[in-house]
Amino acid sequence: MTVQPHAGELAQPASPATASGLPAPGMAKTSVLWRRLKPIVLALIVPMLLLIFWQVATTQQWTRLIPTPYQVAEYMVDFAHGGIYDDAYSATLVTHLLASMSRVYGGFALAAAFALPIGLLIGRLEPARMLLDPFLQLMRPIPVTAWLPLSMILFGLGAKSAFALVCLGAFYPILLNTIFGVRSVDPKLFEAASMLGCKGNAQFFKVVLPAATPSIFTGLRLGLGLAWFVIVVGEMTGVPQGLGAVIMDARTLSRTDLVICGMIVIGLAGFLSDRVVVMVGNRLPDLLPAVETILFGKYVKQGYTVIVTGADGTGRETAVREVLSQIAPKRENPGDLVAAVNF
């Protein structure tokens, strides 16, 4: 049965996007926008739920010791710019933040300077592992807070003790991940490097370091996070400025709003620091060539054919077939010669 259109009714042509089965331009733009906003929207769900719970708990007076979110936000503005309460902590946020950042990044850099070479030695050399690993594993479970009295005795009151405690907190994550990265290097890479003429100390720079770099960056990320984690303990050593010092003073003065403000600033600063490390780590594949690229680019001449075989015999038949295909190109079945070779 054929349906005829009514008189005066014109048939509307289908749009190119609909006719081809593709989404309309407006829908495509909406889809792209949603893909960009989706991570942000999902990341805000948990903080918003926590904020709602906080507001309900304080307004319903489930507790009278915690200020409302509005009160904390108001004091955060005063902490950053002043002009509301005009107390001793008004407009001092930048000063305290910079003081804490100097101790966090200074202690983190000091920890990396010690942990990276020690981790490379323990991961690569068996005598170094037998000498240092038991002692370090014995010291690792001791919490940073237990070192607080000794740090004050050894380094005195002030910034030196804070540096030492932050360094101690960041040291072990960097060390352990460096050891793991070095020991996880595929042994076949060393075999391939040896066959290509890369031996001795050259293997350390051409094989070990590139292959262990992802694990090393994971350790750096964890170490920087723990450096912010222990900054409050580090600044319990009598420093006059710093977010940890502000939190401890606020605890003494029963200023819960100031305590929460300090916690929020530390969380945001640590989050931004972590994002920077993650962005650098994501760029590593572009900045550093793979181990195979380093080896083949340096030790293999242009135009040569390279076949890597394993110690267990993997790849040897392929190697023989390739050789036979070069020396006997006219033979119809090179496999006859391969079968005569004793692997």
Side-chain angles (χ1 to χ4, degrees), residues 20 31 41 48 51 119 145 235 256 279 285 293 299 311 332:
S20 61
S31 177
V41 173
M48 292 302 297
L51 190 63
T145 51
E235 293 180 341
T256 314
M279 286 191 296
T293 304
Y299 295 98
E332 295 183 357

Side-chain angles (χ1 to χ4, degrees), residues 147-317:
W147 290 98
L148 179 61
L150 284 179
S151 68
M152 297 173 68
I153 295 173
L154 295 174
F155 302 103
L157 297 176
K160 292 183 179 180
S161 296
F163 272 111
L165 292 173
V166 172
C167 173
L168 187 62
F171 175 78
Y172 288 104
I174 302 175
L175 175 72
L176 294 179
N177 280 274
T178 302
I179 295 173
F180 174 78
V182 173
R183 299 195 66 182
S184 299
V185 177
D186 192 347
K188 294 181 180 179
L189 292 177
F190 295 106
E191 297 176 8
S194 298
M195 287 186 293
L196 293 174
C198 178
K199 298 180 180 179
N201 294 332
Q203 287 190 355
F204 179 80
F205 296 100
K206 303 297 182 181
V207 178
V208 175
L209 281 182
T213 297
S215 294
I216 292 174
F217 258 82
T218 300
L220 292 174
R221 181 183 179 186
L222 293 174
L224 184 56
L226 278 178
W228 281 106
F229 183 81
V230 302
I231 187 60
V232 176
V233 177
E235 293 180 341
M236 291 172 60
T237 56
V239 293
Q241 295 176 341
L243 296 172
V246 170
I247 291 175
M248 296 309 298
D249 291 344
R251 178 189 67 87
T252 304
L253 299 172
S254 299
R255 292 285 305 277
T256 314
D257 51 354
L258 185 56
V259 170
I260 297 175
C261 287
M263 293 168 61
I264 293 174
V265 174
I266 290 176
L268 291 176
F271 174 78
L272 294 177
S273 301
D274 180 75
R275 291 300 93 190
V276 171
V277 176
V278 170
M279 286 191 296
V280 174
N282 291 338
R283 291 293 306 277
L284 281 181
D286 300 329
L287 299 175
L288 296 177
V291 179
E292 293 83 355
T293 304
I294 296 175
L295 293 177
F296 287 99
K298 181 174 178 61
Y299 295 98
V300 180
K301 296 181 180 180
Q302 185 175 3
Y304 278 57
T305 300
V306 177
I307 302 173
V308 179
T309 61
D312 58 351
T314 305
R316 292 188 182 182
E317 183 175 348

Side-chain angles (χ1 to χ4, degrees), residues 44-56:
L44 290 175
I45 290 178
V46 174
M48 292 302 297
L49 291 176
L50 179 61
L51 190 63
I52 293 172
F53 175 77
W54 180 9
Q55 177 67 25
V56 172

